[in-house]
Amino acid sequence: MKRYESWGRFPRAAHSVFALNWHSQEIDFPRFTNKVLAFGLGRSYGDVCLNDGGTLLDTEGLRHLIAFDPAEGIVDCEAGITLAELLEIFLPKGWFAPVLPGTRHVTVGGAIANDIHGKNHHRAGTFGCHVLGFELLRSTGERLFCSPDQNAELFRATIGGLGLTGLILWVRLRLKAVSGPWMQVEHLPFSSLKEFFEFSRDSDSRYEYTVAWVDCVSGGGKAGRGVFIRGNHAAGKQAQGEWKSKPAFLRIPADAPGFLINRCSVRLLNEIYYQLQSAKRGPFTMPYGPFFFPLDSVEDWNRLYGKAGFLQYQVVLPEDGSARLKEFFEKISNSGLGSFLAVLKHFGPKRSPGLMSFPKAGVTLALDFPIRGRKVFDLLNALDEIAAAAGGSVYPGKDARMSPGHFRKFFPQWQEFTKYFDPAFSSDFKKRMLL
Amino acid sequence: MKKIFVAGALSAIAQETARCFAAEGAAFFLAARDGEKLAISGADLKTRGASSVTVLAADFDVLESHAEIVRKAEAELGGIEIALIAYGFLPDQTACEQDFDLTLKAIHTNFISVVSLVMQLTPLFENQRGGTMAVIGSVAGDRGRPKNYVYGTSKGALALFLQGLRARLSRSGVNVLTVKPGFVDTPMTAGHAKNILFADAPSVGCAIHRAILARKDILYVPGFWRWILFVIQCIPEGLFKKLKL
């Protein structure tokens, strides 16, 4: 049974659900007495996918492929198809998703609405950079094909538009040619942020995919240590052989008790993870699945955080502000709140067409915190302050708690954005941001 | 390359099964009522790897049309290796209790029409001495329950018919698969409150794909329904009357 909740499971919301199955489907918007919002697989951490008291338009049934051009690698597909399914269908034909997030279980529509990014941002930019167009259904009943040339303003507003500009029915996407499912990967342990920046500078031009895991709970000599992971699609001999993605090997069947993720367990997990990851340096060949989606091997891992849920915090600091990163780590370490999954990456200068797109050139840090009372909210507010002062911003697609004031500082273009809203659409994020 | 005829090709379950076969390069003849949606589903299968797709807008309630549909499918595909019959009608039980026409419609669509279509297909399969007819029934056909016995009757009668036919055709090497899905989250059940027993259409569709290839006789899907129905069928009638199932 499908659960209509966000991935962080905070806040909670109650909805009516209306399922969509065809992009040709007529939707009688006036029949909904409350506001609507598209909902795919609920992998957004925060409240951009929630619409408390309203209706969710479930897009999971919108899974028809419409056309594929095998010469150019251009696919037309309905918005509810997942990146997992696109990979399954097109990788055997030599085509890969242009941008992949940390899970394969996201819909193409959601990837556009959140203008997602991945380990290749420094080269490829965001998902929106590879979208050639899409059909947008407005509550007036209009179906608008939006592209850089047609309805260009709605095109820009919808990429990263958090589902507030209407319903994306189908998408024209440019895939990327690869030689197979294998990756050539290297792990480089580092002991300080300075080293991370060195590895990053050295790697970003030669490696298509780079990311770092960083330990932000250990203090003392271990502070700032981490593992830099870089990879390319394997070519030639290393690219030989089939690989089929397997279902998750473990599923978390119920909410774990709230105390499971605590300072000690997080510290222990960080230690184990650091030792394991830094032990295998490579270069070695591995399939794309575990390289891009290590967490997909545990289904419903968000339940490990217990009933109260968790917050994901992702911030980007511009190049000249990255010196402030140290402040972040000090604040987090001093707060006593641990994050197991701390991810660090350099964003490149490639601009997304999206008006509200989050990534910009600089360094980005993503953290997970279990929710235990006020303390974590206070910490994240303090981090928002640092980000705002440094000219950075926080990712709305993952947010469940930033203040409207900070949001407006992070996205000074917010007023222009509101011009493209569809009045029948809303979300808990929109309401929280007082938009 | 499998040659597949799908009757009721727009059912969510049929589309999922067809997608599994499409990935293996099958050739399709799709028939269902809505021509516009058939075009979308056809393009979907083609893009997923189907070697050819022909569509025909058809209403299977019209029994007189069955011979012609089967003839066209056979001609278009050059023989039919797999026939998947997936259309069905889930009426509101309470409404049926007051309305014989509605009851008849359920029995007509789910039983009479399928029998007619299967009988049109049978000589063809017998002649080629092989292939599979897969028909979607329901767990509701295993025992009459106050909540849905009209739908259950139509599917139960169908299961009985297919059971006899299966034994008969086994001598000609033809396989008859009765699929008994439990609750599946599809447009057919859109108005029903969902609970933990509901399965998603893709997993049900792929299970049917595997069962067809494995030449199974009866498929409960998801598999746990076999045990639920076993228990339900064991309850003595005297007690069963009193249960609110």
Side-chain angles (χ1 to χ4, degrees):
Chain A
M1 186 184 48
K2 186 164 178 175
R3 296 188 299 271
Y4 294 90
E5 55 190 25
S6 69
W7 192 246
R9 303 171 80 214
F10 172 88
R12 294 296 180 144
H15 309 99
S16 348
V17 175
F18 183 82
L20 304 175
N21 296 288
W22 305 89
H23 67 268
S24 59
Q25 202 167 336
E26 296 289 336
I27 301 174
D28 176 24
F29 282 96
R31 67 166 270 174
F32 303 112
T33 49
N34 43 30
K35 304 273 180 174
V36 301
L37 179 70
F39 186 97
L41 295 180
R43 286 297 178 123
S44 290
Y45 289 90
D47 57 2
V48 297
C49 63
L50 301 177
N51 186 19
D52 194 24
T55 300
L56 295 179
L57 304 175
D58 187 340
T59 62
E60 212 182 332
L62 290 178
R63 280 178 48 231
H64 296 102
L65 294 177
I66 298 165
F68 179 64
D69 174 352
E72 296 288 324
I74 294 171
V75 63
D76 289 359
C77 59
E78 287 183 346
I81 203 158
T82 65
L83 297 184
E85 198 164 8
L86 285 183
L87 288 169
E88 211 172 285
I89 296 166
F90 292 108
L91 187 52
K93 299 177 166 62
W95 297 96
F96 204 66
V99 166
L100 287 170
T103 171
R104 48 159 84 76
H105 305 297
V106 298
T107 65
V108 172
I112 294 176
N114 293 288
D115 198 18
I116 59 166
H117 55 270
K119 298 176 175 61
N120 60 351
H121 184 275
H122 59 285
R123 291 269 190 96
T126 64
F127 194 83
C129 297
H130 308 271
V131 172
L132 303 177
F134 48 79
E135 189 174 65
L136 189 70
L137 176 64
R138 303 274 284 183
S139 60
T140 53
E142 274 178 298
R143 288 162 185 262
L144 302 170
F145 184 74
C146 304
S147 72
D149 306 317
Q150 278 170 273
N151 298 304
E153 291 184 324
L154 264 177
F155 179 74
R156 292 186 56 223
T158 301
I159 294 176
L162 308 172
L164 299 175
T165 60
L167 175 71
I168 303 172
L169 291 168
W170 63 270
V171 177
R172 177 165 295 157
L173 181 67
R174 185 187 290 282
L175 302 177
K176 158 193 163 67
V178 294
S179 43
W182 299 93
M183 307 296 300
Q184 188 72 6
V185 181
E186 244 180 295
H187 287 184
L188 308 169
F190 59 85
S191 56
S192 68
L193 286 177
K194 193 167 150 273
E195 254 184 285
F196 160 78
F197 283 107
E198 280 165 18
F199 281 146
S200 211
R201 252 194 309 279
D202 172 57
S203 306
D204 283 358
S205 59
R206 289 183 295 129
Y207 292 85
E208 208 173 332
Y209 301 97
T210 64
V211 71
W213 166 85
V214 59
D215 182 348
C216 67
V217 280
S218 303
K222 291 175 179 173
R225 71 174 174 174
V227 180
F228 190 87
I229 299 163
R230 59 189 191 185
N232 282 317
H233 289 280
K237 231 171 139 185
Q238 276 123 7
Q240 304 300 310
E242 298 249 322
W243 185 76
K244 265 199 95 64
S245 68
K246 291 178 235 21
F249 78 90
L250 180 66
R251 179 173 163 264
I252 311 300
D255 296 340
F259 58 80
L260 187 75
I261 308 261
N262 58 43
R263 193 167 167 75
C264 293
S265 63
V266 167
R267 199 181 279 260
L268 182 70
L269 284 168
N270 269 282
E271 187 64 40
I272 293 171
Y273 191 83
Y274 178 78
Q275 296 302 343
L276 282 176
Q277 295 302 311
S278 50
K280 46 174 187 187
R281 300 199 179 196
F284 52 89
T285 309
M286 72 188 287
Y288 78 92
F291 177 74
F292 287 100
F293 322 114
L295 286 171
D296 280 355
S297 56
V298 182
E299 201 178 325
D300 293 338
W301 61 261
N302 56 343
R303 296 183 135 191
L304 287 172
Y305 282 96
K307 245 197 179 75
F310 69 105
L311 297 172
Q312 158 105 181
Y313 185 79
Q314 185 169 356
V315 62
V316 59
L317 298 173
E319 280 322 339
D320 53 4
S322 44
R324 312 293 285 266
L325 209 54
K326 236 181 137 177
E327 269 181 69
F328 269 89
F329 282 95
E330 279 163 15
K331 270 236 165 4
I332 296 163
S333 181
N334 292 342
S335 73
L337 296 164
S339 169
F340 169 51
L341 297 158
V343 173
L344 207 53
K345 164 155 185 69
H346 241 123
F347 279 156
K350 187 163 177 175
R351 294 289 303 169
S352 160
L355 176 65
M356 293 292 286
S357 186
F358 159 73
K360 55 182 163 192
V363 63
T364 185
L365 172 69
L367 306 153
D368 281 351
F369 294 99
I371 296 176
R372 300 259 197 296
R374 277 267 19 120
K375 208 169 157 192
V376 60
F377 292 89
D378 294 341
L379 168 69
L380 297 184
N381 278 335
L383 298 186
D384 283 352
E385 282 297 327
I386 304 175
S393 59
V394 170
Y395 194 3
K398 293 181 171 182
D399 181 68
R401 33 64 46 197
M402 77 167 110
S403 71
H406 278 133
F407 172 71
R408 285 162 199 209
K409 256 187 220 156
F410 296 146
F411 297 93
Q413 69 276 39
W414 68 273
Q415 257 167 323
E416 198 200 337
F417 178 45
T418 59
K419 285 197 284 185
Y420 303 103
F421 282 178
D422 186 311
F425 286 70
S426 185
S427 70
D428 286 3
F429 181 82
K430 175 176 181 248
K431 285 178 257 175
R432 191 161 54 81
M433 291 303 118
L434 312 172
L435 296 174
Chain B
M1 184 191 74
K2 294 268 189 300
K3 300 166 181 176
I4 305 176
F5 165 52
V6 190
L10 299 178
S11 105
I13 295 175
Q15 285 192 70
E16 296 300 344
T17 304
R19 281 170 175 160
C20 296
F21 280 110
E24 297 165 358
F28 290 94
F29 187 91
L30 309 177
R33 268 186 308 211
D34 188 325
E36 189 194 342
K37 288 178 180 166
L38 272 173
I40 294 173
S41 185
D44 176 54
L45 297 178
K46 197 92 215 295
T47 312
R48 285 168 190 262
S51 56
S52 74
V53 180
T54 310
V55 302
L56 177 71
D59 183 351
F60 287 97
D61 276 352
V62 183
L63 308 183
E64 298 73 32
S65 68
H66 291 184
E68 181 62 10
I69 297 170
V70 169
R71 197 194 56 74
K72 277 187 182 153
E74 189 193 6
E76 202 63 52
L77 292 169
I80 300 173
E81 288 167 68
I82 297 166
L84 172 62
I85 302 177
Y87 57 87
F89 170 56
L90 177 61
D92 178 63
Q93 171 64 30
T94 346
C96 281
E97 286 160 18
Q98 313 297 327
D99 183 350
F100 174 69
D101 288 341
L102 187 63
T103 301
L104 183 62
K105 181 176 157 41
I107 291 171
H108 181 80
T109 304
N110 295 337
F111 178 53
I112 308 281
S113 161
V114 178
V115 168
S116 157
L117 184 61
V118 166
M119 287 183 70
Q120 290 292 343
L121 287 162
T122 298
L124 186 154
F125 277 92
E126 262 183 318
N127 282 340
Q128 67 190 23
R129 303 194 69 79
T132 295
M133 283 190 270
V135 183
I136 300 189
S138 171
V139 292
D142 279 10
R143 192 160 189 179
R145 300 185 301 127
K147 265 189 188 159
N148 65 358
Y149 64 87
V150 170
Y151 181 71
T153 301
S154 63
K155 293 294 195 179
L158 179 61
L160 207 58
F161 178 85
L162 295 172
Q163 190 171 41
L165 184 71
R166 175 182 305 118
R168 180 186 135 203
L169 293 185
S170 67
R171 287 160 208 133
S172 334
V174 179
N175 185 237
V176 176
L177 167 66
T178 308
V179 181
K180 296 186 178 181
F183 302 136
V184 189
D185 191 352
T186 67
M188 196 195 226
T189 58
H192 295 240
K194 305 291 182 291
N195 58 41
I196 191 110
L197 294 175
F198 271 79
D200 61 288
S203 65
V204 171
C206 290
I208 295 172
H209 166 248
R210 287 192 301 270
I212 290 172
L213 293 180
R215 295 178 67 84
K216 278 199 170 190
D217 296 325
I218 295 171
L219 173 72
Y220 283 93
V221 54
F224 61 78
W225 284 98
R226 172 193 287 269
W227 309 112
I228 295 182
L229 269 303
F230 174 73
V231 172
I232 288 178
Q233 283 170 317
C234 287
I235 302 171
E237 195 68 13
L239 174 62
F240 192 74
K241 281 191 294 187
K242 295 184 184 120
L243 295 175
K244 288 208 175 79
L245 277 170

